[in-house]
């Protein structure tokens, strides 16, 4: 696909307006995060640009009405084409993003046909979580606070402590403000996916790691970001990922040792320690218990056997 200075070139204004309205709906009514809304925008824009080149016409509502299942198959095939094919999970997400947008156009802008509905989504196998061992987690956290790196090293250690010690998603940790850790010494109020709030216990080692960082970091107001980058702005996830890549290379850990692996480790180690699945579901902020149950696949085999023997949904 050829690049364009403006990604909306070749897209009719009513369709652009429909996209703006749909993204606003995702943000205000479905309360999706900025990161998720940005991913939807990227998927839909890429689809519209494909349609423009595929049909050779300005992408209007009338053109979208002419799209047949074969056209949608061509788009899905394009997403999987080398040299940069999307992973099956990313293709499934793109299909969901575009389908939601087309349904929005049908409800509010007069689109008559949503041919994508007729294509069954491909089944995407869910990979089991890949946690780190307890000794590996300790090594990662110890290695994160290199004294030569000053307050930034204490910041990195505090973030990793939150991922492992509180089971936070990386974006949840980085969205915290100073006031969020000042409300209570014992509990964190987390705003997770879909703006759902949950309470997470703040263990002493995690609290102490945050306090060490704040004592060394530049001063800030209660409403300022908790974790700052070098330029004084809110730290981005990519910076944490790069730091963990460095630690991974230093310690000889596998590529699966990512920030999210620390959250997986939190869940797995709690289960192995005897945590109840429902409690763990609340701590992780999972909407469905089935998502939490995946951790029984990688926990100690004896735990899995106990779960299958005792849990009512596991018995046949």
């Amino acid at each position: 696909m050829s690049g364009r200075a403006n990604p909306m070139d070749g897209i009719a204004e009513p369709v652009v307006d429909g996209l703006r309205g749909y993204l606003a709906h995702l943000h205000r009514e479905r309360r999706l995060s900025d990161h998720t809304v940005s991913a939807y925008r990227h998927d839909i824009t890429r689809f519209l640009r494909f349609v423009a080149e595929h049909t050779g016409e300005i992408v209007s509502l009338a053109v979208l009405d002419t799209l047949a299942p074969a056209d949608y198959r061509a788009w899905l095939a394009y997403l999987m084409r080398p040299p940069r094919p999307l992973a099956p999970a990313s293709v499934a997400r793109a299909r969901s993003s575009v389908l939601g947008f087309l349904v929005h156009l049908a409800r509010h802008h007069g689109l008559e046909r949503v041919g994508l509905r007729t294509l069954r989504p491909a089944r995407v196998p869910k990979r089991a979580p890949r946690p780190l061992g307890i000794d590996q987690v300790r090594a990662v956290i110890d290695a994160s606070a290199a004294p030569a790196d000053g307050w930034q090293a204490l910041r990195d250690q505090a973030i990793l402590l939150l991922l492992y010690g509180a089971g936070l998603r990386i974006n949840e940790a980085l969205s915290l403000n100073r006031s969020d850790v000042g409300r209570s010494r014992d509990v964190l109020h987390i705003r997770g996916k879909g703006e759902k709030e949950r309470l997470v216990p703040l263990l002493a080692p995690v609290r102490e790691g945050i306090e060490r960082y704040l004592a060394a970091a530049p001063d800030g107001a209660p409403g300022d970001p908790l974790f700052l980058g070098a330029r004084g702005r809110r730290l981005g996830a990519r910076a944490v990922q790069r730091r963990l890549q460095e630690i991974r290379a230093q310690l000889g850990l596998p590529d699966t040792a990512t920030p999210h692996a620390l959250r997986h480790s939190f869940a797995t180690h709690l289960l192995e320690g005897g945590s109840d699945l429902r409690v763990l579901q609340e701590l992780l902020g999972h909407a469905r218990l089935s998502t939490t149950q995946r951790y029984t696949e990688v926990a100690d085999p004896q735990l899995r056997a106990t779960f299958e023997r005792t849990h009512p949904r596991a018995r046949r």
Side-chain angles (χ1 to χ4, degrees):
M1 304 285 289
S2 59
R4 292 189 177 96
N6 181 356
M8 291 293 103
D9 283 349
I11 314 299
E13 192 60 31
V15 177
V16 175
D17 286 343
L19 177 56
R20 292 194 193 103
Y22 181 58
L23 296 176
H25 160 75
L26 295 177
H27 186 72
R28 290 199 298 259
E29 298 180 37
R30 290 187 54 188
R31 304 179 73 86
L32 300 184
S33 69
D34 291 343
H35 175 77
T36 302
V37 173
S38 178
Y40 272 68
R41 178 189 296 109
H42 174 77
D43 289 337
I44 296 165
T45 301
R46 192 176 188 182
F47 165 73
L48 293 173
R49 290 173 58 189
F50 170 83
V51 173
E53 293 205 8
H54 181 66
T55 63
E57 300 183 53
I58 299 291
V59 182
S60 63
L61 292 171
V63 168
L64 292 175
D65 264 331
T66 67
L67 296 181
D71 298 308
Y72 289 108
R73 290 192 191 95
W75 165 61
L76 295 172
Y78 158 72
L79 296 180
M80 295 183 284
R81 185 185 306 161
R84 297 177 63 183
L86 294 186
S90 298
V91 173
R93 186 200 68 193
R95 180 193 179 280
S96 176
S97 301
V98 170
L99 179 57
F101 170 59
L102 295 175
V103 169
H104 177 83
L105 291 181
R107 287 175 177 170
H108 302 286
H109 296 271
L111 186 71
E112 295 181 3
R113 297 177 59 199
V114 183
L116 184 56
R117 278 175 167 158
T118 64
L119 299 185
R120 290 186 179 181
R123 185 178 294 274
V124 180
K126 290 190 176 182
R127 291 184 297 180
R130 298 183 180 183
L132 301 176
I134 294 176
D135 290 340
Q136 290 176 318
V137 172
R138 288 194 184 118
V140 165
I141 292 175
D142 289 345
S144 63
D149 292 337
W151 65 267
Q152 290 97 332
L154 294 173
R155 174 201 65 198
D156 295 342
Q157 187 175 65
I159 294 169
L160 300 184
L161 281 167
L162 274 169
L163 302 185
Y164 177 66
L168 301 193
R169 302 176 178 93
I170 181 65
N171 288 331
E172 292 172 345
L174 297 183
S175 67
L176 290 171
N177 293 329
R178 284 173 172 256
S179 58
D180 293 322
V181 296
R183 295 184 188 180
S184 166
R185 294 188 59 85
D186 303 317
V187 175
L188 270 179
H189 294 253
I190 300 299
R191 190 173 296 107
K193 286 186 175 181
E195 295 294 307
K196 294 177 182 176
E197 293 193 3
R198 69 184 190 276
L199 300 180
V200 177
L202 193 56
L203 302 177
V206 182
R207 162 66 71 177
E208 291 163 5
I210 294 172
E211 290 176 345
R212 285 194 300 270
Y213 156 64
L214 287 174
D219 291 336
D224 288 347
L226 175 60
F227 297 115
L228 299 174
R231 298 183 180 180
R233 299 175 182 173
R234 190 179 298 276
L235 188 69
R238 185 66 191 125
V240 182
Q241 292 163 351
R242 282 196 300 266
R243 181 67 183 117
L244 203 44
Q245 282 178 333
E246 295 170 359
I247 295 172
R248 199 164 64 210
Q250 175 187 338
L251 299 178
L253 295 176
D255 291 346
T256 53
T258 63
H260 205 62
L262 292 174
R263 174 173 155 92
H264 291 328
S265 305
F266 164 85
T268 304
H269 298 164
L270 276 181
L271 272 180
E272 291 178 338
S275 175
D276 179 82
L277 268 175
R278 286 289 184 185
V279 172
L280 185 57
Q281 179 189 8
E282 291 295 323
L283 292 175
L284 292 171
H286 287 160
R288 300 181 183 87
L289 183 62
S290 60
T291 305
T292 314
Q293 287 171 351
R294 291 189 304 141
Y295 289 103
T296 64
E297 299 174 16
V298 294
D300 185 274
Q302 186 175 355
L303 172 68
R304 175 70 182 181
T306 301
F307 169 71
E308 291 184 338
R309 186 175 65 254
T310 60
H311 196 283
R313 295 294 296 275
R315 294 199 301 266
R316 294 180 183 275

